[in-house]
């Protein structure tokens, strides 16, 4: 007898027995890159063919071509519990277009490897590899858009949900990098959108909230962690549980949704990282559930995009 389906995502099925089956993302839910589009052009680049690592670059074409200037760079790491979604998923393509336009920056959306086929730390290594590629002569420096228009001294790391967790774990890898070429990449800030952290002990938002969207729940978070963490690890593993860093953090905007089961994890992150620091800012959008920003016409999304743009422009100045 086939196991009962517990939840379906476009690129995977979760079963009641806590198993998971991968399936191809429907083409109807993906967007092809368009190098000739205006005001935001996009195209895909291969970072590491062997591991299937690639990225989609979003260029604010009208700003850089007509004014012949360099602009900041924002890396984007998508969410999905380290298990689902891709950089060409429609919602992420549109979101990155909006961010590129609002921030006036080149956005590089990284398509990292997913669990359970590639458990953590594979996604962290891919995030670091993408940054390293940007600095390499045969990598990003060879790319015509980046070579002509990217100001690496103004680099921002952005991630939502598991992508925000990825950003947090890539920072110490970048700080420890010994490649001289990587010194040209100056990470001036991070934006962590509804960061995906956890722990064996529950926080109030994980027990209080009954998410109005089927996209995320406490049980769903547990399932993602079961698939993403190294085999045998529990949710107190350092990849999941927030711990104080042993390196300085850049200026950081943390975005939480008041109706998100992860809301208190974002607040816990703020407190652990040093909530009194002037370099850390917490934005709580009270009526927002998890992944609220896929509703592009909502007031919450408009407020969020304006805040991210203001934060980015402040650190880019």
């Amino acid at each position: 007898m086939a196991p009962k389906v517990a939840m379906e995502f476009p690129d995977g099925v979760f079963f009641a027995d806590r198993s998971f089956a991968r399936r191809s993302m429907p083409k109807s839910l993906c967007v092809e890159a368009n190098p000739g589009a205006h005001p935001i052009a996009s195209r895909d680049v291969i970072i590491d063919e062997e591991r299937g690592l690639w990225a989609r670059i979003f260029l604010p074409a009208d700003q850089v071509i007509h004014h012949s200037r360099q602009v900041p760079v924002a890396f984007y790491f998508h969410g999905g519990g380290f298990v689902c979604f891709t950089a060409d998923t429609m919602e992420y393509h549109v979101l990155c277009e909006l961010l590129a336009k609002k921030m006036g920056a080149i956005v590089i959306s990284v398509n990292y490897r997913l669990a359970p086929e590639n458990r953590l730390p594979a996604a962290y290594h891919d995030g670091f590899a993408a940054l390293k590629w940007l600095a390499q002569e045969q990598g990003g420096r060879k790319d015509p858009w980046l070579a002509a228009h990217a100001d690496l001294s103004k680099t921002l790391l952005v991630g939502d949900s598991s992508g925000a967790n990825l950003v947090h774990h890539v920072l110490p890898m970048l700080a420890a990098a010994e490649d001289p070429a990587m010194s040209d990449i100056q990470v001036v800030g991070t934006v962590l959108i509804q960061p995906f952290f956890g722990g064996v002990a529950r926080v109030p938002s994980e027990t209080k909230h009954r998410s109005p969207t089927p996209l995320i729940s406490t049980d769903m978070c547990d399932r993602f962690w079961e698939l993403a963490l190294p085999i045998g690890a529990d949710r107190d593993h350092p990849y999941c549980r927030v711990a104080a860093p042993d390196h300085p953090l850049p200026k950081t905007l943390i975005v939480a949704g008041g109706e998100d089961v992860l809301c208190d994890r974002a607040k816990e992150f703020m407190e652990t990282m040093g909530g009194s620091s002037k370099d850390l800012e917490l934005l709580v959008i009270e009526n927002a559930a998890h992944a609220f920003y896929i509703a592009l016409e909502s007031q919450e999304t408009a407020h969020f995009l304006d805040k991210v743009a203001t934060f980015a422009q402040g650190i880019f100045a």
Side-chain angles (χ1 to χ4, degrees):
M1 183 177 178
K4 182 180 178 181
V5 173
M7 180 168 283
E8 293 188 68
F9 279 75
D11 50 347
V13 181
F14 293 82
F15 296 100
D17 64 1
R18 309 195 80 78
S19 60
F20 174 80
R22 174 77 61 201
R23 63 186 181 189
S24 297
M25 179 73 76
K27 290 186 178 180
S28 61
L29 300 181
C30 297
V31 177
E32 292 188 2
N34 186 350
H38 286 274
I40 307 298
S42 59
R43 63 184 180 81
D44 297 336
V45 295
I46 300 297
I47 294 175
D48 187 326
E49 188 170 6
E50 184 174 340
R51 69 172 88 172
L53 178 59
W54 59 273
R56 177 162 293 181
I57 304 175
F58 296 84
L59 181 75
D62 290 351
Q63 296 185 46
V64 299
I65 293 174
H66 296 317
H67 301 286
S68 300
R69 64 187 181 95
Q70 289 192 319
V71 295
V73 175
F75 272 88
Y76 193 92
F77 299 96
H78 68 79
F82 294 112
V83 174
C84 297
F85 303 125
T86 56
D88 59 356
T89 302
M90 184 182 303
E91 289 80 3
Y92 284 114
H93 178 94
V94 174
L95 178 60
C96 286
E97 283 185 324
L98 288 171
L99 288 171
K101 182 178 180 180
K102 296 281 284 187
M103 296 190 298
I106 294 171
V107 173
I108 303 175
S109 180
V110 180
N111 198 74
Y112 55 88
R113 290 173 293 171
L114 299 176
E117 299 89 342
N118 299 280
R119 290 175 177 264
L120 295 173
Y124 303 153
H125 291 316
D126 287 353
F128 178 72
L131 282 162
K132 188 174 182 179
W133 170 85
L134 179 63
Q136 291 173 332
E137 290 293 341
Q138 296 304 311
R141 293 182 185 275
K142 190 178 179 180
D143 181 89
W145 284 4
L146 299 177
H149 305 299
D151 182 354
L152 304 189
S153 70
K154 297 177 180 179
T155 300
L156 177 69
L157 304 185
V158 186
D160 74 281
S161 195
S162 55
N165 176 297
L166 190 157
V167 168
H168 177 66
H169 286 282
V170 163
L171 283 174
M173 299 170 70
L174 184 61
E178 297 180 352
D179 186 343
M182 295 197 71
S183 63
D184 291 339
I185 299 176
Q186 299 296 316
V187 176
V188 294
T190 66
V191 179
L192 308 181
I193 307 162
Q194 300 182 304
F196 184 47
F197 292 103
V200 172
R202 299 298 190 195
V203 294
S205 63
E206 293 172 337
T207 58
K208 179 181 70 174
H209 285 289
R210 296 295 180 267
S211 178
T213 170
L215 193 61
I216 199 75
S217 66
T218 300
D219 179 65
M220 204 67 242
C221 290
D222 292 350
R223 289 173 180 265
F224 281 137
W225 283 120
E226 288 170 14
L227 295 172
L229 288 170
I231 293 174
D234 65 17
R235 295 192 307 277
D236 282 338
H237 190 281
Y239 296 158
C240 178
R241 183 108 181 130
V242 174
D246 56 5
H247 60 89
L249 294 177
K251 290 185 177 181
T252 297
L253 173 64
I254 305 158
V255 181
E259 297 300 322
D260 182 13
V261 296
L262 295 176
C263 183
D264 286 337
R265 292 296 179 188
K267 295 176 180 178
E268 180 183 54
F269 179 90
M270 179 77 172
E271 294 169 1
T272 303
M273 297 300 118
S276 61
S277 171
K278 65 180 181 180
D279 288 337
L280 299 178
E281 180 180 355
L282 175 64
L283 170 67
V284 180
I285 302 177
E286 292 299 337
N287 296 321
H290 197 74
F292 67 92
Y293 36 84
I294 65 175
L296 298 176
E297 303 301 322
S298 71
Q299 291 182 343
E300 290 80 11
T301 299
H303 176 47
F304 155 73
L305 289 172
D306 286 343
K307 184 64 180 179
V308 171
T310 300
F311 173 81
Q313 290 161 5
I315 62 174
F316 290 153

